[in-house]
Protein backbone atom coordinates (compact mmCIF):
# COMPACT_ATOMS: atom_id res chain seq x y z
CA UNK A 1 0.00 0.00 0.00
CA UNK A 2 1.29 3.42 -0.92
CA UNK A 3 1.57 5.74 2.05
CA UNK A 4 -0.97 8.55 1.80
CA UNK A 5 0.71 11.94 1.69
CA UNK A 6 -0.76 15.37 1.21
CA UNK A 7 -0.61 16.54 -2.37
CA UNK A 8 1.29 19.58 -3.54
CA UNK A 9 1.99 20.88 -7.05
CA UNK A 10 5.28 21.74 -8.70
CA UNK A 11 4.10 23.66 -11.73
CA UNK A 12 1.45 21.43 -13.25
CA UNK A 13 2.91 18.21 -11.81
CA UNK A 14 1.10 16.87 -8.74
CA UNK A 15 3.38 15.37 -6.10
CA UNK A 16 2.00 13.12 -3.37
CA UNK A 17 -1.51 11.91 -2.65
CA UNK A 18 -2.55 9.52 -5.38
CA UNK A 19 -0.43 11.17 -8.09
CA UNK A 20 1.98 8.96 -10.05
CA UNK A 21 5.49 8.94 -8.62
CA UNK A 22 7.24 11.69 -10.60
CA UNK A 23 10.69 11.26 -12.14
CA UNK A 24 13.17 14.10 -12.00
CA UNK A 25 16.75 14.96 -12.76
CA UNK A 26 19.24 17.80 -12.45
CA UNK A 27 21.22 19.61 -15.16
CA UNK A 28 24.99 19.32 -15.25
CA UNK A 29 25.42 22.52 -17.27
CA UNK A 30 26.33 25.96 -15.95
CA UNK A 31 22.85 27.41 -15.63
CA UNK A 32 23.97 30.81 -16.96
CA UNK A 33 24.85 29.03 -20.22
CA UNK A 34 21.25 29.21 -21.34
CA UNK A 35 21.70 27.44 -24.68
CA UNK A 36 23.42 24.37 -23.17
CA UNK A 37 21.01 24.23 -20.24
CA UNK A 38 17.91 24.43 -22.42
CA UNK A 39 19.34 21.83 -24.83
CA UNK A 40 20.01 19.44 -21.95
CA UNK A 41 16.52 19.94 -20.50
CA UNK A 42 14.94 19.27 -23.90
CA UNK A 43 16.95 16.02 -24.14
CA UNK A 44 15.74 15.12 -20.63
CA UNK A 45 12.14 15.80 -21.65
CA UNK A 46 12.52 13.45 -24.62
CA UNK A 47 13.38 10.51 -22.38
CA UNK A 48 10.62 11.19 -19.87
CA UNK A 49 11.98 13.59 -17.25
CA UNK A 50 9.00 15.23 -15.54
CA UNK A 51 10.69 17.87 -13.34
CA UNK A 52 14.13 19.40 -13.70
CA UNK A 53 16.42 21.13 -11.22
CA UNK A 54 19.21 23.53 -11.99
CA UNK A 55 21.98 24.81 -9.73
CA UNK A 56 21.89 28.51 -8.87
CA UNK A 57 25.25 29.27 -7.28
CA UNK A 58 25.42 32.95 -8.28
CA UNK A 59 23.16 35.81 -9.32
CA UNK A 60 24.11 35.39 -13.00
CA UNK A 61 22.52 31.95 -12.82
CA UNK A 62 19.38 33.23 -11.11
CA UNK A 63 18.88 36.00 -13.66
CA UNK A 64 18.54 33.64 -16.64
CA UNK A 65 15.93 31.34 -15.09
CA UNK A 66 13.01 33.18 -16.68
CA UNK A 67 14.56 32.79 -20.12
CA UNK A 68 15.17 29.06 -19.54
CA UNK A 69 11.65 28.56 -18.27
CA UNK A 70 10.15 30.10 -21.41
CA UNK A 71 11.92 27.55 -23.60
CA UNK A 72 11.17 24.29 -21.75
CA UNK A 73 8.01 22.30 -21.11
CA UNK A 74 8.49 20.78 -17.66
CA UNK A 75 8.56 22.48 -14.23
CA UNK A 76 11.82 24.17 -13.28
CA UNK A 77 13.31 23.88 -9.79
CA UNK A 78 16.06 26.22 -8.55
CA UNK A 79 18.65 24.64 -6.27
CA UNK A 80 19.85 27.21 -3.74
CA UNK A 81 22.47 27.13 -1.01
CA UNK A 82 23.65 29.78 1.46
CA UNK A 83 22.35 32.98 -0.15
CA UNK A 84 18.61 33.49 0.12
CA UNK A 85 18.74 36.44 -2.31
CA UNK A 86 19.32 33.85 -5.05
CA UNK A 87 16.10 32.11 -4.06
CA UNK A 88 14.18 35.38 -4.07
CA UNK A 89 15.47 36.21 -7.55
CA UNK A 90 14.70 32.67 -8.80
CA UNK A 91 11.14 33.07 -7.54
CA UNK A 92 10.86 36.47 -9.26
CA UNK A 93 12.05 34.77 -12.46
CA UNK A 94 9.10 32.39 -12.30
CA UNK A 95 10.56 29.02 -11.23
CA UNK A 96 8.06 26.41 -10.07
CA UNK A 97 9.88 25.35 -6.92
CA UNK A 98 12.97 26.19 -4.89
CA UNK A 99 15.11 23.54 -3.23
CA UNK A 100 16.57 24.82 0.03
CA UNK A 101 18.57 23.35 2.87
CA UNK A 102 17.53 25.80 5.60
CA UNK A 103 20.49 24.63 7.67
CA UNK A 104 22.99 26.24 5.36
CA UNK A 105 21.24 29.55 4.69
CA UNK A 106 23.58 32.27 5.92
CA UNK A 107 20.78 34.19 7.60
CA UNK A 108 19.08 31.07 8.95
CA UNK A 109 15.43 31.20 9.91
CA UNK A 110 15.00 34.84 8.91
CA UNK A 111 16.16 33.99 5.37
CA UNK A 112 13.88 30.96 5.19
CA UNK A 113 10.93 33.09 6.24
CA UNK A 114 11.60 35.57 3.43
CA UNK A 115 11.72 32.70 0.93
CA UNK A 116 8.52 31.21 2.31
CA UNK A 117 6.71 34.54 1.97
CA UNK A 118 7.89 34.84 -1.65
CA UNK A 119 6.78 31.26 -2.41
CA UNK A 120 3.36 31.97 -0.91
CA UNK A 121 2.94 35.14 -2.95
CA UNK A 122 3.75 33.29 -6.18
CA UNK A 123 1.95 30.09 -5.19
CA UNK A 124 4.99 27.88 -5.71
CA UNK A 125 6.38 24.92 -3.82
CA UNK A 126 9.54 24.41 -1.79
CA UNK A 127 11.68 21.36 -1.25
CA UNK A 128 13.31 21.18 2.14
CA UNK A 129 16.43 19.11 1.64
CA UNK A 130 18.36 17.73 4.58
CA UNK A 131 21.41 15.74 3.52
CA UNK A 132 23.29 13.58 5.98
CA UNK A 133 26.52 15.21 4.81
CA UNK A 134 25.29 18.64 5.80
CA UNK A 135 24.77 17.64 9.43
CA UNK A 136 27.78 17.42 11.68
CA UNK A 137 29.72 14.26 11.11
CA UNK A 138 29.54 11.75 13.91
CA UNK A 139 31.12 13.27 16.93
CA UNK A 140 34.60 12.17 17.79
CA UNK A 141 33.56 10.24 20.83
CA UNK A 142 31.11 8.13 18.86
CA UNK A 143 33.80 7.36 16.30
CA UNK A 144 36.26 6.33 18.98
CA UNK A 145 33.65 4.13 20.56
CA UNK A 146 32.85 2.36 17.31
CA UNK A 147 35.13 -0.52 18.23
CA UNK A 148 35.35 -0.58 21.94
CA UNK A 149 37.74 -2.97 23.61
CA UNK A 150 37.58 -3.40 27.34
CA UNK A 151 39.06 -5.82 29.84
CA UNK A 152 36.63 -7.18 32.41
CA UNK A 153 37.67 -7.66 36.05
CA UNK A 154 38.03 -11.41 35.40
CA UNK A 155 40.60 -10.64 32.70
CA UNK A 156 38.42 -11.47 29.68
CA UNK A 157 38.75 -8.97 26.78
CA UNK A 158 35.38 -7.80 25.42
CA UNK A 159 34.92 -6.19 22.03
CA UNK A 160 31.86 -4.22 20.98
CA UNK A 161 30.09 -5.38 17.85
CA UNK A 162 31.11 -3.03 15.00
CA UNK A 163 27.94 -3.84 13.01
CA UNK A 164 25.79 -3.02 16.02
CA UNK A 165 27.72 0.22 16.55
CA UNK A 166 27.22 1.21 12.92
CA UNK A 167 23.50 0.50 13.19
CA UNK A 168 23.25 2.71 16.26
CA UNK A 169 25.18 5.52 14.58
CA UNK A 170 22.96 5.23 11.50
CA UNK A 171 19.81 5.49 13.61
CA UNK A 172 21.14 8.51 15.47
CA UNK A 173 22.07 10.27 12.24
CA UNK A 174 18.70 9.47 10.65
CA UNK A 175 16.89 10.76 13.73
CA UNK A 176 18.83 14.01 13.63
CA UNK A 177 18.00 14.43 9.91
CA UNK A 178 14.30 13.87 10.58
CA UNK A 179 14.25 16.23 13.57
CA UNK A 180 15.93 18.94 11.50
CA UNK A 181 13.42 18.51 8.67
CA UNK A 182 10.48 18.66 11.12
CA UNK A 183 11.92 21.76 12.75
CA UNK A 184 12.21 23.54 9.37
CA UNK A 185 8.68 22.45 8.45
CA UNK A 186 7.39 23.94 11.70
CA UNK A 187 8.97 27.29 10.76
CA UNK A 188 7.08 27.17 7.45
CA UNK A 189 3.82 26.12 9.08
CA UNK A 190 3.99 29.07 11.46
CA UNK A 191 3.71 31.19 8.30
CA UNK A 192 0.83 29.01 7.11
CA UNK A 193 2.91 27.58 4.26
CA UNK A 194 2.34 23.93 3.39
CA UNK A 195 3.47 23.51 -0.25
CA UNK A 196 6.44 21.52 0.94
CA UNK A 197 8.18 18.32 -0.10
CA UNK A 198 11.06 16.87 1.81
CA UNK A 199 14.24 14.99 0.98
CA UNK A 200 16.48 13.20 3.46
CA UNK A 201 19.34 12.05 1.31
CA UNK A 202 22.51 10.21 2.13
CA UNK A 203 25.12 8.48 0.01
CA UNK A 204 24.67 5.47 2.31
CA UNK A 205 21.42 3.72 1.31
CA UNK A 206 20.79 2.31 4.79
CA UNK A 207 20.97 5.76 6.37
CA UNK A 208 18.62 7.23 3.79
CA UNK A 209 16.19 4.32 4.23
CA UNK A 210 16.21 4.80 8.00
CA UNK A 211 15.63 8.54 7.71
CA UNK A 212 12.78 8.30 5.18
CA UNK A 213 11.07 5.55 7.19
CA UNK A 214 11.24 7.56 10.38
CA UNK A 215 9.99 10.72 8.71
CA UNK A 216 7.07 8.97 7.07
CA UNK A 217 5.87 7.75 10.47
CA UNK A 218 5.76 11.29 11.78
CA UNK A 219 4.62 13.48 8.89
CA UNK A 220 2.47 13.33 5.78
CA UNK A 221 4.42 15.81 3.65
CA UNK A 222 5.37 14.23 0.31
CA UNK A 223 8.85 12.80 -0.02
CA UNK A 224 11.45 13.25 -2.72
CA UNK A 225 13.58 10.11 -2.63
CA UNK A 226 17.22 9.95 -3.60
CA UNK A 227 20.50 8.29 -2.75
CA UNK A 228 22.84 11.20 -3.16
CA UNK A 229 26.27 10.94 -4.80
CA UNK A 230 25.44 7.34 -5.65
CA UNK A 231 28.35 6.96 -8.07
CA UNK A 232 28.90 6.13 -11.73
CA UNK A 233 26.35 4.42 -13.95
CA UNK A 234 26.43 0.82 -12.69
CA UNK A 235 27.17 1.29 -8.96
CA UNK A 236 24.91 4.34 -8.85
CA UNK A 237 22.03 2.55 -10.54
CA UNK A 238 22.37 -0.45 -8.23
CA UNK A 239 22.63 1.66 -5.06
CA UNK A 240 19.62 3.70 -6.13
CA UNK A 241 17.62 0.60 -7.02
CA UNK A 242 18.35 -0.89 -3.60
CA UNK A 243 17.73 2.28 -1.59
CA UNK A 244 14.75 3.64 -3.49
CA UNK A 245 13.38 0.18 -4.24
CA UNK A 246 13.12 -0.79 -0.59
CA UNK A 247 11.35 2.45 0.30
CA UNK A 248 9.03 2.39 -2.69
CA UNK A 249 8.12 -1.22 -1.96
CA UNK A 250 7.08 -0.06 1.51
CA UNK A 251 4.85 2.61 -0.04
CA UNK A 252 7.22 5.49 0.77
CA UNK A 253 8.12 8.11 -1.84
CA UNK A 254 6.29 10.55 -4.11
CA UNK A 255 9.01 11.68 -6.52
CA UNK A 256 12.44 10.22 -7.23
CA UNK A 257 15.79 11.18 -8.61
CA UNK A 258 18.51 8.69 -9.45
CA UNK A 259 21.82 10.59 -8.98
CA UNK A 260 24.57 9.34 -11.26
CA UNK A 261 28.02 10.54 -12.25
CA UNK A 262 26.82 10.30 -15.84
CA UNK A 263 24.82 12.33 -18.32
CA UNK A 264 21.51 13.21 -16.63
CA UNK A 265 19.64 11.63 -19.55
CA UNK A 266 20.96 8.30 -18.27
CA UNK A 267 19.30 8.80 -14.89
CA UNK A 268 15.80 8.76 -16.33
CA UNK A 269 15.68 5.19 -17.73
CA UNK A 270 17.11 3.90 -14.44
CA UNK A 271 14.38 5.69 -12.51
CA UNK A 272 11.63 4.32 -14.75
CA UNK A 273 13.11 0.83 -14.57
CA UNK A 274 12.91 0.96 -10.76
CA UNK A 275 9.29 2.14 -10.92
CA UNK A 276 8.32 -0.41 -13.58
CA UNK A 277 9.93 -3.22 -11.60
CA UNK A 278 7.65 -2.38 -8.69
CA UNK A 279 4.65 -1.86 -10.97
CA UNK A 280 4.39 1.75 -9.80
CA UNK A 281 4.65 3.25 -13.31
CA UNK A 282 4.25 1.48 -16.62
CA UNK A 283 5.59 4.17 -18.94
CA UNK A 284 7.71 2.91 -21.85
CA UNK A 285 9.17 -0.46 -22.64
CA UNK A 286 9.18 -3.37 -20.22
CA UNK A 287 12.08 -5.24 -21.67
CA UNK A 288 12.83 -8.93 -21.23
CA UNK A 289 16.00 -10.36 -22.74
CA UNK A 290 17.92 -13.46 -21.88
CA UNK A 291 21.56 -13.21 -20.82
CA UNK A 292 22.44 -15.88 -23.43
CA UNK A 293 24.41 -19.02 -22.62
CA UNK A 294 26.01 -21.99 -24.33
CA UNK A 295 22.67 -22.88 -25.95
CA UNK A 296 22.28 -19.57 -27.72
CA UNK A 297 21.78 -19.60 -31.48
CA UNK A 298 21.78 -15.87 -32.19
CA UNK A 299 23.82 -12.92 -30.94
CA UNK A 300 21.15 -12.03 -28.42
CA UNK A 301 23.26 -9.47 -26.56
CA UNK A 302 23.74 -7.32 -29.64
CA UNK A 303 20.14 -7.60 -30.80
CA UNK A 304 18.80 -6.84 -27.32
CA UNK A 305 21.00 -3.78 -26.86
CA UNK A 306 20.09 -2.39 -30.26
CA UNK A 307 16.37 -2.95 -29.72
CA UNK A 308 16.60 -1.26 -26.32
CA UNK A 309 18.48 1.72 -27.80
CA UNK A 310 15.91 2.13 -30.57
CA UNK A 311 13.01 2.07 -28.11
CA UNK A 312 14.54 4.48 -25.58
CA UNK A 313 12.12 7.32 -26.37
CA UNK A 314 8.93 5.23 -26.39
CA UNK A 315 6.46 6.34 -23.72
CA UNK A 316 3.59 3.99 -24.52
CA UNK A 317 3.62 0.99 -22.18
CA UNK A 318 4.74 -2.03 -24.20
CA UNK A 319 6.32 -5.37 -23.34
CA UNK A 320 9.14 -6.58 -25.62
CA UNK A 321 11.15 -9.82 -25.34
CA UNK A 322 14.36 -10.84 -27.09
CA UNK A 323 15.31 -14.45 -26.32
CA UNK A 324 18.21 -16.52 -27.54
CA UNK A 325 16.98 -20.08 -28.02
CA UNK A 326 14.08 -22.51 -27.89
CA UNK A 327 14.42 -23.41 -24.19
CA UNK A 328 12.76 -20.34 -22.64
CA UNK A 329 12.48 -18.22 -25.76
CA UNK A 330 9.03 -19.06 -27.11
CA UNK A 331 7.37 -18.80 -23.68
CA UNK A 332 8.73 -15.35 -22.89
CA UNK A 333 8.29 -14.15 -26.48
CA UNK A 334 4.67 -15.30 -26.50
CA UNK A 335 3.93 -13.47 -23.22
CA UNK A 336 5.25 -10.18 -24.58
CA UNK A 337 3.46 -7.73 -26.88
CA UNK A 338 6.28 -8.34 -29.33
CA UNK A 339 8.79 -11.15 -28.94
CA UNK A 340 11.70 -12.70 -30.77
CA UNK A 341 12.71 -16.29 -30.03
CA UNK A 342 16.02 -17.11 -31.69
CA UNK A 343 16.79 -20.40 -33.43
CA UNK A 344 19.70 -21.49 -35.57
CA UNK A 345 20.40 -18.40 -37.69
CA UNK A 346 16.74 -17.46 -37.74
CA UNK A 347 14.08 -16.34 -35.31
CA UNK A 348 10.36 -16.53 -34.71
CA UNK A 349 8.54 -13.21 -34.27
CA UNK A 350 5.54 -13.17 -31.93
CA UNK A 351 2.93 -10.44 -31.71
CA UNK A 352 0.42 -10.54 -28.85
CA UNK A 353 1.06 -14.25 -28.33
CA UNK A 354 0.73 -15.26 -31.98
CA UNK A 355 3.53 -16.33 -34.33
CA UNK A 356 3.73 -13.70 -37.05
CA UNK A 357 6.62 -15.01 -39.14
CA UNK A 358 10.06 -16.53 -39.14
CA UNK A 359 12.92 -14.26 -40.25
CA UNK A 360 16.64 -14.76 -40.99
CA UNK A 361 19.11 -13.27 -38.54
CA UNK A 362 19.92 -10.21 -40.63
CA UNK A 363 16.25 -9.17 -40.40
CA UNK A 364 15.77 -9.55 -36.63
CA UNK A 365 16.05 -5.89 -35.77
CA UNK A 366 13.89 -4.80 -38.67
CA UNK A 367 11.20 -7.35 -37.87
CA UNK A 368 11.02 -6.67 -34.13
CA UNK A 369 10.91 -2.91 -34.57
CA UNK A 370 8.31 -3.11 -37.31
CA UNK A 371 6.02 -5.11 -35.04
CA UNK A 372 6.62 -2.76 -32.11
CA UNK A 373 5.91 0.26 -34.32
CA UNK A 374 2.62 -1.29 -35.44
CA UNK A 375 1.44 -1.17 -31.80
CA UNK A 376 2.46 2.44 -31.13
CA UNK A 377 0.76 5.77 -31.85
CA UNK A 378 1.98 7.28 -35.10
CA UNK A 379 4.40 9.88 -33.67
CA UNK A 380 6.24 7.19 -31.68
CA UNK A 381 6.08 4.64 -34.46
CA UNK A 382 7.97 7.06 -36.70
CA UNK A 383 10.79 7.28 -34.15
CA UNK A 384 11.07 3.52 -33.84
CA UNK A 385 10.56 2.48 -37.43
CA UNK A 386 11.20 5.34 -39.84
CA UNK A 387 9.70 5.41 -43.28
CA UNK A 388 11.75 3.15 -45.51
CA UNK A 389 12.57 0.75 -42.69
CA UNK A 390 15.66 0.24 -40.58
CA UNK A 391 18.77 1.08 -42.53
CA UNK A 392 21.20 -1.05 -40.65
CA UNK A 393 20.73 -4.26 -38.71
CA UNK A 394 22.48 -5.88 -35.79
CA UNK A 395 25.72 -6.99 -37.31
CA UNK A 396 26.71 -10.34 -35.86
CA UNK A 397 25.70 -13.92 -36.28
CA UNK A 398 26.27 -16.57 -33.64
CA UNK A 399 25.85 -20.35 -33.72
CA UNK A 400 27.52 -23.10 -31.75
CA UNK A 401 29.17 -24.51 -34.89
CA UNK A 402 30.36 -21.31 -36.50
CA UNK A 403 30.93 -19.07 -33.48
CA UNK A 404 30.44 -15.34 -33.96
CA UNK A 405 30.75 -13.92 -37.47
CA UNK A 406 29.85 -10.59 -39.00
CA UNK A 407 26.67 -10.48 -41.06
CA UNK A 408 26.15 -8.06 -43.93
CA UNK A 409 24.40 -4.78 -43.24
CA UNK A 410 20.78 -4.92 -44.28
CA UNK A 411 19.71 -2.06 -46.55
CA UNK A 412 16.06 -1.66 -47.36
S1 LIG B 1 16.83 -18.43 -23.45
FE1 LIG B 1 18.20 -20.06 -24.22
S2 LIG B 1 20.06 -18.93 -24.79
FE2 LIG B 1 18.92 -17.56 -23.48
S3 LIG B 1 19.77 -17.95 -21.46
FE3 LIG B 1 17.93 -19.21 -21.67
S4 LIG B 1 18.71 -21.19 -22.34
FE4 LIG B 1 20.37 -19.71 -22.71
Amino acid sequence: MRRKTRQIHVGDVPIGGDAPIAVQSMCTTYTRDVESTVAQILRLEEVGCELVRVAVPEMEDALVLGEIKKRIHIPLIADIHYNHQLALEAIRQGVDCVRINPGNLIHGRKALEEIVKACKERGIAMRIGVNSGSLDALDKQAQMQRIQIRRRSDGVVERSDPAEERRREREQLAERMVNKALEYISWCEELDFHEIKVSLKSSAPLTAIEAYRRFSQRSDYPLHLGITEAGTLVPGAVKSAVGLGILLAEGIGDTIRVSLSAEPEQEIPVAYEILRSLELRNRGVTFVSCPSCGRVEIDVIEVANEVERRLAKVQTPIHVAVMGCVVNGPGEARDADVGLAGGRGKGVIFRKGQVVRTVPEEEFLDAVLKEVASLLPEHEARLVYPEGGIKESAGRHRTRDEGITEIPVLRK
Side-chain angles (χ1 to χ4, degrees):
M1 284 288 283
R2 188 154 163 220
R3 187 183 68 109
K4 190 85 180 157
T5 49
R6 67 172 71 196
Q7 191 170 83
I8 66 161
H9 283 80
V10 176
D12 57 359
V13 176
I15 307 285
D18 54 5
I21 294 167
V23 169
Q24 55 179 290
S25 184
M26 183 168 183
C27 285
T28 54
T29 52
Y30 293 117
T31 304
R32 67 191 69 179
D33 177 354
V34 173
E35 293 307 319
S36 304
T37 303
V38 167
Q40 190 168 65
I41 295 174
L42 295 180
R43 289 198 299 277
L44 281 164
E45 289 180 8
E46 276 197 340
V47 291
C49 181
E50 295 170 311
L51 305 153
V52 68
R53 183 161 48 117
V54 292
V56 185
E58 293 175 22
M59 197 50 86
E60 280 141 296
D61 303 292
L63 288 168
V64 298
L65 293 169
E67 176 63 20
I68 293 171
K69 179 140 175 66
K70 266 190 250 158
R71 293 168 57 184
I72 64 173
H73 314 92
I74 53 177
L76 183 64
I77 302 166
D79 188 87
I80 313 285
H81 292 272
Y82 312 123
N83 180 357
H84 75 289
Q85 293 299 339
L86 298 173
L88 298 179
E89 183 56 39
I91 295 165
R92 269 194 292 273
Q93 291 282 327
V95 296
D96 300 288
C97 178
V98 283
R99 184 274 184 193
I100 308 284
N101 178 352
N104 72 18
L105 288 173
I106 293 165
H107 297 291
R109 180 169 182 170
K110 190 172 158 295
L112 181 73
E113 287 177 353
E114 281 188 47
I115 298 170
V116 165
K117 283 177 192 153
C119 287
K120 268 185 82 172
E121 272 171 31
R122 292 267 178 166
I124 70 163
M126 176 191 288
R127 164 148 74 100
I128 292 178
V130 178
N131 281 19
S132 64
S134 65
L135 294 182
D136 295 337
L138 296 169
D139 63 49
K140 282 270 175 298
Q141 203 187 358
Q143 285 178 20
M144 281 159 59
Q145 283 172 352
R146 179 176 280 188
I147 300 177
Q148 209 175 59
I149 301 173
R150 105 189 145 89
R151 189 179 291 278
R152 293 194 328 217
S153 55
D154 58 5
V156 174
V157 174
E158 266 187 349
R159 251 172 198 284
S160 62
D161 175 357
E164 179 60 21
E165 290 299 320
R166 278 199 302 278
R167 186 184 63 76
R168 207 171 306 151
E169 287 168 9
R170 197 161 52 233
E171 287 178 0
Q172 285 168 4
L173 182 55
E175 184 64 20
R176 287 166 62 201
M177 291 165 71
V178 171
N179 286 337
K180 275 287 165 206
L182 293 171
E183 182 186 353
Y184 300 144
I185 287 171
S186 73
W187 296 354
C188 296
E189 286 177 333
E190 281 181 33
L191 296 170
D192 195 24
F193 182 67
H194 306 273
E195 285 292 293
I196 299 167
K197 59 192 169 103
V198 175
S199 62
L200 300 154
K201 296 190 184 181
S202 168
S203 56
L206 290 177
T207 303
I209 290 168
E210 186 69 33
Y212 281 114
R213 275 181 183 154
R214 285 172 181 246
F215 183 89
S216 67
Q217 284 165 4
R218 290 159 65 182
S219 172
D220 67 350
Y221 281 100
L223 284 170
H224 164 119
L225 301 188
I227 303 299
T228 194
E229 296 122 23
T232 50
L233 184 58
V234 172
V238 173
K239 245 192 243 180
S240 298
V242 170
L244 306 191
I246 287 172
L247 289 164
L248 291 165
E250 292 175 9
I252 298 169
D254 302 286
T255 173
I256 64 171
R257 184 206 171 183
V258 170
S259 304
L260 301 176
S261 305
E263 290 301 316
E265 298 93 294
Q266 292 180 284
E267 296 179 354
I268 305 301
V270 178
Y272 277 109
E273 201 59 54
I274 293 170
L275 295 174
R276 269 196 302 270
S277 302
L278 293 164
E279 298 185 10
L280 290 166
R281 296 284 302 264
N282 64 355
R283 177 195 177 282
V285 181
T286 301
F287 198 58
V288 173
S289 65
C290 83
S292 86
C293 70
R295 290 185 198 88
V296 77
E297 297 278 10
I298 63 170
D299 189 353
V300 73
I301 295 172
E302 185 150 338
V303 178
N305 277 292
E306 189 58 17
V307 170
E308 187 194 15
R309 192 180 71 77
R310 295 272 187 171
L311 301 183
K313 292 179 184 167
V314 170
Q315 299 192 20
T316 303
I318 188 163
H319 185 158
V320 178
V322 174
M323 303 294 291
C325 80
V326 294
V327 175
N328 295 318
E332 292 286 356
R334 195 173 282 117
D335 286 347
D337 293 310
V338 175
L340 162 70
R344 179 164 296 219
K346 57 187 181 187
V348 180
I349 304 291
F350 293 80
R351 184 176 190 271
K352 299 273 184 196
Q354 303 296 321
V355 174
V356 182
R357 58 201 160 113
T358 301
V359 292
E361 194 163 5
E362 60 271 24
E363 290 180 24
F364 283 172
L365 187 63
D366 198 76
V368 171
L369 297 181
K370 196 173 191 172
E371 292 305 329
V372 172
S374 73
L375 298 172
L376 297 176
E378 203 181 323
H379 68 282
E380 286 191 328
R382 274 203 299 272
L383 291 176
V384 169
Y385 194 81
E387 221 172 293
I390 302 299
K391 299 293 181 218
E392 68 287 343
S393 72
R396 289 191 306 171
H397 168 75
R398 176 173 169 174
T399 68
R400 282 196 298 280
D401 303 333
E402 297 162 35
I404 298 176
T405 52
E406 295 298 314
I407 56 175
V409 170
L410 171 69
R411 299 219 172 269
K412 289 213 152 194

